Amino acid sequence: MDRLGAAGETVPGDGRPARLRGHGPGDDRLDHRAGPPALRRGFEKKGGAAAQAIGRSQGGPSTKVIAVVTDEDGLIAVDIAEGQRNDAPLALPVLEKAKQAVGRIDEVLGDKGFDSDEIRGAILDDHDTLPVIPNRKNRTDPWPWDEVMKETYKQRNRVERAFSKAKQFRRFATRYEKLREVFLGLVRLVFGFIHIRKIALSVNTT
């Protein structure tokens, strides 16, 4: 559109064409069509949150990493999803991958985020494994939780140590990759490097 506007248009007092009337001078909308302004669509405008595994949580855009490890250096299976997703539905596919990798799982240690009847039932029935998961405070029908399970649960710090080592890599701690598959490949590469480094250190010390 030239400075005078198209032929036949009426121009209101603020200098804007009549077909744009109703949009304030400070609005960042790039066209007159219905929908959010293009500058505010964020990561959802291309591929969607699922294709990028980026969701909106309380801290802003984030990605959730679900992992099964044997110790702080041994990743068995991993997957990523949008940050606002619930932990429980994401755990079952990762557990299945872990079972295919190692053959048998003796115990599954998880925090309260994995406390659901679906998860516990799948661990018991599908994997024939003991779920060592503390009960949520709002559970009306809590599962058994004795001193032996409390002592076993202390070993879950292996997962925390594994993530602590992974966060030493900047591209893991601060995600730069946009697409889900690219970032998932990086996550696997980081955990793989941690495992290889452990093997290399054990060879050098023997």
mmCIF file of all heavy atoms in Angstrom, residues 111-151:
data_model
loop_
_atom_site.group_PDB
_atom_site.id
_atom_site.type_symbol
_atom_site.label_atom_id
_atom_site.label_comp_id
_atom_site.label_asym_id
_atom_site.label_seq_id
_atom_site.Cartn_x
_atom_site.Cartn_y
_atom_site.Cartn_z
ATOM 1 N N ASP A 111 10.484 -40.996 41.935
ATOM 2 C CA ASP A 111 9.992 -40.048 42.931
ATOM 3 C C ASP A 111 8.468 -39.993 42.906
ATOM 4 O O ASP A 111 7.806 -40.733 42.183
ATOM 5 C CB ASP A 111 10.610 -38.670 42.721
ATOM 6 C CG ASP A 111 10.287 -38.089 41.346
ATOM 7 O OD1 ASP A 111 9.281 -38.484 40.729
ATOM 8 O OD2 ASP A 111 11.051 -37.225 40.885
ATOM 9 N N LYS A 112 7.900 -39.076 43.677
ATOM 10 C CA LYS A 112 6.438 -39.006 43.822
ATOM 11 C C LYS A 112 5.739 -38.622 42.531
ATOM 12 O O LYS A 112 4.538 -38.842 42.399
ATOM 13 C CB LYS A 112 6.087 -38.008 44.926
ATOM 14 C CG LYS A 112 6.519 -38.456 46.311
ATOM 15 C CD LYS A 112 6.115 -37.435 47.369
ATOM 16 C CE LYS A 112 6.569 -37.888 48.758
ATOM 17 N NZ LYS A 112 6.183 -36.909 49.810
ATOM 18 N N GLY A 113 6.474 -38.045 41.592
ATOM 19 C CA GLY A 113 5.869 -37.716 40.320
ATOM 20 C C GLY A 113 5.384 -38.936 39.551
ATOM 21 O O GLY A 113 4.524 -38.824 38.679
ATOM 22 N N PHE A 114 5.929 -40.117 39.879
ATOM 23 C CA PHE A 114 5.534 -41.361 39.214
ATOM 24 C C PHE A 114 4.555 -42.172 40.057
ATOM 25 O O PHE A 114 4.304 -43.337 39.753
ATOM 26 C CB PHE A 114 6.775 -42.201 38.906
ATOM 27 C CG PHE A 114 7.745 -41.520 37.990
ATOM 28 C CD1 PHE A 114 8.871 -40.874 38.485
ATOM 29 C CD2 PHE A 114 7.537 -41.507 36.617
ATOM 30 C CE1 PHE A 114 9.761 -40.239 37.656
ATOM 31 C CE2 PHE A 114 8.428 -40.870 35.770
ATOM 32 C CZ PHE A 114 9.541 -40.231 36.282
ATOM 33 N N ASP A 115 4.032 -41.584 41.108
ATOM 34 C CA ASP A 115 3.091 -42.294 41.982
ATOM 35 C C ASP A 115 1.696 -42.286 41.368
ATOM 36 O O ASP A 115 0.921 -41.352 41.540
ATOM 37 C CB ASP A 115 3.057 -41.628 43.358
ATOM 38 C CG ASP A 115 2.038 -42.294 44.287
ATOM 39 O OD1 ASP A 115 1.763 -43.496 44.088
ATOM 40 O OD2 ASP A 115 1.526 -41.607 45.187
ATOM 41 N N SER A 116 1.396 -43.335 40.626
ATOM 42 C CA SER A 116 0.057 -43.530 40.074
ATOM 43 C C SER A 116 -0.226 -45.023 40.035
ATOM 44 O O SER A 116 0.693 -45.842 39.912
ATOM 45 C CB SER A 116 -0.057 -42.925 38.670
ATOM 46 O OG SER A 116 0.630 -43.709 37.719
ATOM 47 N N ASP A 117 -1.493 -45.379 40.152
ATOM 48 C CA ASP A 117 -1.867 -46.798 40.109
ATOM 49 C C ASP A 117 -1.510 -47.418 38.766
ATOM 50 O O ASP A 117 -1.161 -48.601 38.693
ATOM 51 C CB ASP A 117 -3.367 -46.943 40.377
ATOM 52 C CG ASP A 117 -3.738 -46.581 41.812
ATOM 53 O OD1 ASP A 117 -2.855 -46.660 42.697
ATOM 54 O OD2 ASP A 117 -4.901 -46.203 42.049
ATOM 55 N N GLU A 118 -1.588 -46.624 37.694
ATOM 56 C CA GLU A 118 -1.256 -47.148 36.362
ATOM 57 C C GLU A 118 0.217 -47.536 36.288
ATOM 58 O O GLU A 118 0.566 -48.613 35.786
ATOM 59 C CB GLU A 118 -1.587 -46.105 35.297
ATOM 60 C CG GLU A 118 -1.278 -46.568 33.882
ATOM 61 C CD GLU A 118 -1.544 -45.496 32.855
ATOM 62 O OE1 GLU A 118 -1.815 -44.345 33.252
ATOM 63 O OE2 GLU A 118 -1.467 -45.795 31.645
ATOM 64 N N ILE A 119 1.076 -46.659 36.787
ATOM 65 C CA ILE A 119 2.513 -46.930 36.756
ATOM 66 C C ILE A 119 2.845 -48.125 37.634
ATOM 67 O O ILE A 119 3.574 -49.049 37.228
ATOM 68 C CB ILE A 119 3.295 -45.703 37.220
ATOM 69 C CG1 ILE A 119 3.192 -44.588 36.188
ATOM 70 C CG2 ILE A 119 4.766 -46.042 37.465
ATOM 71 C CD1 ILE A 119 3.900 -44.879 34.902
ATOM 72 N N ARG A 120 2.334 -48.133 38.855
ATOM 73 C CA ARG A 120 2.631 -49.233 39.771
ATOM 74 C C ARG A 120 2.107 -50.557 39.226
ATOM 75 O O ARG A 120 2.778 -51.588 39.312
ATOM 76 C CB ARG A 120 2.019 -48.942 41.138
ATOM 77 C CG ARG A 120 2.659 -47.764 41.877
ATOM 78 C CD ARG A 120 1.929 -47.507 43.183
ATOM 79 N NE ARG A 120 2.438 -46.363 43.909
ATOM 80 C CZ ARG A 120 3.420 -46.395 44.799
ATOM 81 N NH1 ARG A 120 4.021 -47.539 45.066
ATOM 82 N NH2 ARG A 120 3.808 -45.296 45.434
ATOM 83 N N GLY A 121 0.908 -50.537 38.661
ATOM 84 C CA GLY A 121 0.345 -51.765 38.114
ATOM 85 C C GLY A 121 1.155 -52.297 36.946
ATOM 86 O O GLY A 121 1.378 -53.508 36.827
ATOM 87 N N ALA A 122 1.614 -51.395 36.074
ATOM 88 C CA ALA A 122 2.424 -51.822 34.933
ATOM 89 C C ALA A 122 3.761 -52.390 35.391
ATOM 90 O O ALA A 122 4.258 -53.379 34.830
ATOM 91 C CB ALA A 122 2.642 -50.645 33.990
ATOM 92 N N ILE A 123 4.358 -51.775 36.414
ATOM 93 C CA ILE A 123 5.642 -52.273 36.923
ATOM 94 C C ILE A 123 5.471 -53.669 37.514
ATOM 95 O O ILE A 123 6.302 -54.564 37.294
ATOM 96 C CB ILE A 123 6.208 -51.305 37.971
ATOM 97 C CG1 ILE A 123 6.588 -49.975 37.308
ATOM 98 C CG2 ILE A 123 7.419 -51.908 38.675
ATOM 99 C CD1 ILE A 123 6.996 -48.897 38.284
ATOM 100 N N LEU A 124 4.397 -53.878 38.239
ATOM 101 C CA LEU A 124 4.160 -55.180 38.875
ATOM 102 C C LEU A 124 3.753 -56.241 37.861
ATOM 103 O O LEU A 124 4.279 -57.358 37.865
ATOM 104 C CB LEU A 124 3.079 -55.046 39.949
ATOM 105 C CG LEU A 124 3.478 -54.320 41.239
ATOM 106 C CD1 LEU A 124 2.246 -54.026 42.086
ATOM 107 C CD2 LEU A 124 4.486 -55.155 42.031
ATOM 108 N N ASP A 125 2.803 -55.910 36.992
ATOM 109 C CA ASP A 125 2.215 -56.910 36.101
ATOM 110 C C ASP A 125 3.037 -57.120 34.829
ATOM 111 O O ASP A 125 3.304 -58.262 34.436
ATOM 112 C CB ASP A 125 0.784 -56.505 35.725
ATOM 113 C CG ASP A 125 -0.118 -56.396 36.948
ATOM 114 O OD1 ASP A 125 0.173 -57.070 37.957
ATOM 115 O OD2 ASP A 125 -1.109 -55.628 36.898
ATOM 116 N N ASP A 126 3.430 -56.032 34.182
ATOM 117 C CA ASP A 126 4.112 -56.147 32.888
ATOM 118 C C ASP A 126 5.600 -56.450 33.032
ATOM 119 O O ASP A 126 6.185 -57.124 32.186
ATOM 120 C CB ASP A 126 3.932 -54.862 32.076
ATOM 121 C CG ASP A 126 2.470 -54.567 31.781
ATOM 122 O OD1 ASP A 126 1.657 -55.504 31.875
ATOM 123 O OD2 ASP A 126 2.147 -53.407 31.469
ATOM 124 N N HIS A 127 6.212 -55.940 34.104
ATOM 125 C CA HIS A 127 7.659 -56.103 34.264
ATOM 126 C C HIS A 127 8.018 -57.043 35.417
ATOM 127 O O HIS A 127 9.200 -57.336 35.603
ATOM 128 C CB HIS A 127 8.311 -54.741 34.495
ATOM 129 C CG HIS A 127 8.097 -53.767 33.369
ATOM 130 N ND1 HIS A 127 8.799 -53.830 32.187
ATOM 131 C CD2 HIS A 127 7.245 -52.723 33.235
ATOM 132 C CE1 HIS A 127 8.404 -52.856 31.380
ATOM 133 N NE2 HIS A 127 7.462 -52.172 31.994
ATOM 134 N N ASP A 128 7.018 -57.478 36.176
ATOM 135 C CA ASP A 128 7.264 -58.373 37.312
ATOM 136 C C ASP A 128 8.357 -57.805 38.215
ATOM 137 O O ASP A 128 9.309 -58.490 38.593
ATOM 138 C CB ASP A 128 7.648 -59.767 36.808
ATOM 139 C CG ASP A 128 7.610 -60.812 37.933
ATOM 140 O OD1 ASP A 128 6.925 -60.567 38.949
ATOM 141 O OD2 ASP A 128 8.274 -61.852 37.798
ATOM 142 N N THR A 129 8.207 -56.536 38.549
ATOM 143 C CA THR A 129 9.237 -55.792 39.258
ATOM 144 C C THR A 129 8.610 -55.046 40.428
ATOM 145 O O THR A 129 7.433 -54.675 40.391
ATOM 146 C CB THR A 129 9.916 -54.791 38.298
ATOM 147 O OG1 THR A 129 10.471 -55.513 37.191
ATOM 148 C CG2 THR A 129 11.020 -54.029 38.983
ATOM 149 N N LEU A 130 9.408 -54.802 41.456
ATOM 150 C CA LEU A 130 8.930 -54.083 42.628
ATOM 151 C C LEU A 130 9.024 -52.575 42.398
ATOM 152 O O LEU A 130 10.107 -52.046 42.140
ATOM 153 C CB LEU A 130 9.753 -54.456 43.865
ATOM 154 C CG LEU A 130 9.428 -53.690 45.146
ATOM 155 C CD1 LEU A 130 8.024 -54.037 45.623
ATOM 156 C CD2 LEU A 130 10.471 -53.988 46.226
ATOM 157 N N PRO A 131 7.899 -51.832 42.496
ATOM 158 C CA PRO A 131 7.974 -50.365 42.390
ATOM 159 C C PRO A 131 8.345 -49.741 43.736
ATOM 160 O O PRO A 131 7.639 -49.904 44.726
ATOM 161 C CB PRO A 131 6.546 -49.977 41.974
ATOM 162 C CG PRO A 131 5.677 -51.064 42.519
ATOM 163 C CD PRO A 131 6.513 -52.325 42.535
ATOM 164 N N VAL A 132 9.463 -49.056 43.781
ATOM 165 C CA VAL A 132 9.898 -48.364 45.000
ATOM 166 C C VAL A 132 9.629 -46.884 44.782
ATOM 167 O O VAL A 132 10.509 -46.124 44.370
ATOM 168 C CB VAL A 132 11.377 -48.643 45.309
ATOM 169 C CG1 VAL A 132 11.780 -47.993 46.623
ATOM 170 C CG2 VAL A 132 11.647 -50.139 45.349
ATOM 171 N N ILE A 133 8.399 -46.495 45.037
ATOM 172 C CA ILE A 133 7.931 -45.130 44.778
ATOM 173 C C ILE A 133 7.178 -44.636 46.009
ATOM 174 O O ILE A 133 6.217 -45.280 46.443
ATOM 175 C CB ILE A 133 7.002 -45.091 43.546
ATOM 176 C CG1 ILE A 133 7.713 -45.662 42.316
ATOM 177 C CG2 ILE A 133 6.520 -43.672 43.282
ATOM 178 C CD1 ILE A 133 6.805 -45.834 41.115
ATOM 179 N N PRO A 134 7.580 -43.544 46.609
ATOM 180 C CA PRO A 134 6.861 -43.036 47.784
ATOM 181 C C PRO A 134 5.463 -42.550 47.415
ATOM 182 O O PRO A 134 5.213 -42.140 46.272
ATOM 183 C CB PRO A 134 7.742 -41.882 48.273
ATOM 184 C CG PRO A 134 8.523 -41.468 47.079
ATOM 185 C CD PRO A 134 8.746 -42.698 46.259
ATOM 186 N N ASN A 135 4.561 -42.603 48.375
ATOM 187 C CA ASN A 135 3.185 -42.175 48.147
ATOM 188 C C ASN A 135 3.070 -40.653 48.208
ATOM 189 O O ASN A 135 3.754 -39.990 48.987
ATOM 190 C CB ASN A 135 2.256 -42.781 49.208
ATOM 191 C CG ASN A 135 2.192 -44.288 49.124
ATOM 192 O OD1 ASN A 135 1.624 -44.841 48.197
ATOM 193 N ND2 ASN A 135 2.779 -44.968 50.103
ATOM 194 N N ARG A 136 2.187 -40.109 47.379
ATOM 195 C CA ARG A 136 1.862 -38.694 47.492
ATOM 196 C C ARG A 136 1.120 -38.431 48.806
ATOM 197 O O ARG A 136 0.443 -39.315 49.335
ATOM 198 C CB ARG A 136 0.982 -38.249 46.319
ATOM 199 C CG ARG A 136 1.641 -38.337 44.956
ATOM 200 C CD ARG A 136 0.643 -37.932 43.888
ATOM 201 N NE ARG A 136 1.168 -38.107 42.550
ATOM 202 C CZ ARG A 136 1.757 -37.143 41.853
ATOM 203 N NH1 ARG A 136 1.894 -35.941 42.393
ATOM 204 N NH2 ARG A 136 2.199 -37.376 40.630
ATOM 205 N N LYS A 137 1.225 -37.232 49.287
ATOM 206 C CA LYS A 137 0.560 -36.898 50.551
ATOM 207 C C LYS A 137 -0.958 -36.952 50.436
ATOM 208 O O LYS A 137 -1.646 -37.223 51.427
ATOM 209 C CB LYS A 137 0.997 -35.505 51.014
ATOM 210 C CG LYS A 137 2.458 -35.427 51.437
ATOM 211 C CD LYS A 137 2.798 -34.033 51.943
ATOM 212 C CE LYS A 137 4.243 -33.973 52.413
ATOM 213 N NZ LYS A 137 4.612 -32.609 52.907
ATOM 214 N N ASN A 138 -1.495 -36.694 49.259
ATOM 215 C CA ASN A 138 -2.945 -36.660 49.092
ATOM 216 C C ASN A 138 -3.532 -38.002 48.671
ATOM 217 O O ASN A 138 -4.690 -38.074 48.270
ATOM 218 C CB ASN A 138 -3.323 -35.590 48.071
ATOM 219 C CG ASN A 138 -2.695 -35.829 46.704
ATOM 220 O OD1 ASN A 138 -1.856 -36.709 46.548
ATOM 221 N ND2 ASN A 138 -3.102 -35.040 45.723
ATOM 222 N N ARG A 139 -2.754 -39.075 48.761
ATOM 223 C CA ARG A 139 -3.270 -40.398 48.400
ATOM 224 C C ARG A 139 -4.267 -40.870 49.438
ATOM 225 O O ARG A 139 -3.987 -40.885 50.631
ATOM 226 C CB ARG A 139 -2.124 -41.405 48.300
ATOM 227 C CG ARG A 139 -1.906 -41.909 46.887
ATOM 228 C CD ARG A 139 -1.015 -43.128 46.886
ATOM 229 N NE ARG A 139 -0.702 -43.549 45.544
ATOM 230 C CZ ARG A 139 -1.504 -44.307 44.798
ATOM 231 N NH1 ARG A 139 -2.659 -44.708 45.288
ATOM 232 N NH2 ARG A 139 -1.137 -44.659 43.586
ATOM 233 N N THR A 140 -5.448 -41.291 48.985
ATOM 234 C CA THR A 140 -6.458 -41.804 49.910
ATOM 235 C C THR A 140 -6.242 -43.276 50.243
ATOM 236 O O THR A 140 -6.648 -43.732 51.301
ATOM 237 C CB THR A 140 -7.859 -41.623 49.303
ATOM 238 O OG1 THR A 140 -7.912 -42.280 48.030
ATOM 239 C CG2 THR A 140 -8.167 -40.130 49.106
ATOM 240 N N ASP A 141 -5.594 -44.000 49.331
ATOM 241 C CA ASP A 141 -5.331 -45.423 49.550
ATOM 242 C C ASP A 141 -3.846 -45.687 49.287
ATOM 243 O O ASP A 141 -3.467 -46.171 48.221
ATOM 244 C CB ASP A 141 -6.210 -46.272 48.616
ATOM 245 C CG ASP A 141 -6.096 -47.758 48.912
ATOM 246 O OD1 ASP A 141 -5.611 -48.105 50.014
ATOM 247 O OD2 ASP A 141 -6.475 -48.570 48.047
ATOM 248 N N PRO A 142 -2.970 -45.371 50.243
ATOM 249 C CA PRO A 142 -1.521 -45.476 50.013
ATOM 250 C C PRO A 142 -1.057 -46.915 49.844
ATOM 251 O O PRO A 142 -1.630 -47.844 50.426
ATOM 252 C CB PRO A 142 -0.920 -44.840 51.271
ATOM 253 C CG PRO A 142 -1.973 -44.976 52.311
ATOM 254 C CD PRO A 142 -3.286 -44.879 51.589
ATOM 255 N N TRP A 143 -0.017 -47.071 49.065
ATOM 256 C CA TRP A 143 0.617 -48.372 48.871
ATOM 257 C C TRP A 143 1.584 -48.636 50.028
ATOM 258 O O TRP A 143 1.990 -47.708 50.727
ATOM 259 C CB TRP A 143 1.375 -48.383 47.548
ATOM 260 C CG TRP A 143 0.480 -48.477 46.344
ATOM 261 C CD1 TRP A 143 -0.420 -47.544 45.925
ATOM 262 C CD2 TRP A 143 0.408 -49.553 45.409
ATOM 263 N NE1 TRP A 143 -1.058 -47.965 44.787
ATOM 264 C CE2 TRP A 143 -0.567 -49.195 44.442
ATOM 265 C CE3 TRP A 143 1.060 -50.770 45.276
ATOM 266 C CZ2 TRP A 143 -0.891 -50.017 43.375
ATOM 267 C CZ3 TRP A 143 0.743 -51.589 44.199
ATOM 268 C CH2 TRP A 143 -0.222 -51.223 43.267
ATOM 269 N N PRO A 144 1.961 -49.897 50.234
ATOM 270 C CA PRO A 144 2.904 -50.218 51.329
ATOM 271 C C PRO A 144 4.215 -49.461 51.178
ATOM 272 O O PRO A 144 4.752 -49.330 50.074
ATOM 273 C CB PRO A 144 3.107 -51.733 51.171
ATOM 274 C CG PRO A 144 1.884 -52.220 50.462
ATOM 275 C CD PRO A 144 1.479 -51.122 49.539
ATOM 276 N N TRP A 145 4.733 -48.985 52.308
ATOM 277 C CA TRP A 145 5.987 -48.223 52.319
ATOM 278 C C TRP A 145 6.654 -48.452 53.668
ATOM 279 O O TRP A 145 6.344 -47.804 54.648
ATOM 280 C CB TRP A 145 5.707 -46.743 52.085
ATOM 281 C CG TRP A 145 6.933 -45.895 51.939
ATOM 282 C CD1 TRP A 145 7.421 -45.004 52.839
ATOM 283 C CD2 TRP A 145 7.832 -45.867 50.826
ATOM 284 N NE1 TRP A 145 8.568 -44.418 52.372
ATOM 285 C CE2 TRP A 145 8.840 -44.928 51.122
ATOM 286 C CE3 TRP A 145 7.881 -46.553 49.612
ATOM 287 C CZ2 TRP A 145 9.895 -44.649 50.250
ATOM 288 C CZ3 TRP A 145 8.924 -46.274 48.743
ATOM 289 C CH2 TRP A 145 9.918 -45.339 49.056
ATOM 290 N N ASP A 146 7.588 -49.436 53.703
ATOM 291 C CA ASP A 146 8.210 -49.806 54.965
ATOM 292 C C ASP A 146 9.650 -49.308 55.032
ATOM 293 O O ASP A 146 10.143 -48.623 54.134
ATOM 294 C CB ASP A 146 8.148 -51.326 55.155
ATOM 295 C CG ASP A 146 8.748 -52.090 53.981
ATOM 296 O OD1 ASP A 146 9.575 -51.501 53.243
ATOM 297 O OD2 ASP A 146 8.410 -53.271 53.791
ATOM 298 N N GLU A 147 10.344 -49.675 56.098
ATOM 299 C CA GLU A 147 11.715 -49.204 56.310
ATOM 300 C C GLU A 147 12.681 -49.741 55.251
ATOM 301 O O GLU A 147 13.631 -49.063 54.855
ATOM 302 C CB GLU A 147 12.188 -49.599 57.706
ATOM 303 C CG GLU A 147 11.449 -48.907 58.837
ATOM 304 C CD GLU A 147 11.622 -47.396 58.778
ATOM 305 O OE1 GLU A 147 12.725 -46.944 58.390
ATOM 306 O OE2 GLU A 147 10.680 -46.671 59.113
ATOM 307 N N VAL A 148 12.438 -50.976 54.802
ATOM 308 C CA VAL A 148 13.299 -51.558 53.773
ATOM 309 C C VAL A 148 13.189 -50.763 52.464
ATOM 310 O O VAL A 148 14.196 -50.472 51.805
ATOM 311 C CB VAL A 148 12.932 -53.041 53.545
ATOM 312 C CG1 VAL A 148 13.748 -53.620 52.396
ATOM 313 C CG2 VAL A 148 13.137 -53.848 54.807
ATOM 314 N N MET A 149 11.961 -50.391 52.108
ATOM 315 C CA MET A 149 11.764 -49.619 50.876
ATOM 316 C C MET A 149 12.348 -48.215 51.019
ATOM 317 O O MET A 149 12.899 -47.664 50.057
ATOM 318 C CB MET A 149 10.273 -49.556 50.540
ATOM 319 C CG MET A 149 9.640 -50.910 50.274
ATOM 320 S SD MET A 149 7.903 -50.816 49.811
ATOM 321 C CE MET A 149 8.033 -50.240 48.132
ATOM 322 N N LYS A 150 12.249 -47.644 52.211
ATOM 323 C CA LYS A 150 12.862 -46.331 52.439
ATOM 324 C C LYS A 150 14.366 -46.388 52.239
ATOM 325 O O LYS A 150 14.964 -45.481 51.650
ATOM 326 C CB LYS A 150 12.539 -45.843 53.853
ATOM 327 C CG LYS A 150 11.092 -45.422 54.068
ATOM 328 C CD LYS A 150 10.899 -44.923 55.488
ATOM 329 C CE LYS A 150 9.450 -44.516 55.731
ATOM 330 N NZ LYS A 150 9.240 -44.034 57.125
ATOM 331 N N GLU A 151 14.985 -47.452 52.735
ATOM 332 C CA GLU A 151 16.432 -47.603 52.584
ATOM 333 C C GLU A 151 16.809 -47.818 51.120
ATOM 334 O O GLU A 151 17.803 -47.263 50.626
ATOM 335 C CB GLU A 151 16.926 -48.774 53.435
ATOM 336 C CG GLU A 151 18.432 -48.856 53.586
ATOM 337 C CD GLU A 151 19.020 -47.681 54.342
ATOM 338 O OE1 GLU A 151 18.301 -47.078 55.167
ATOM 339 O OE2 GLU A 151 20.216 -47.363 54.107
#
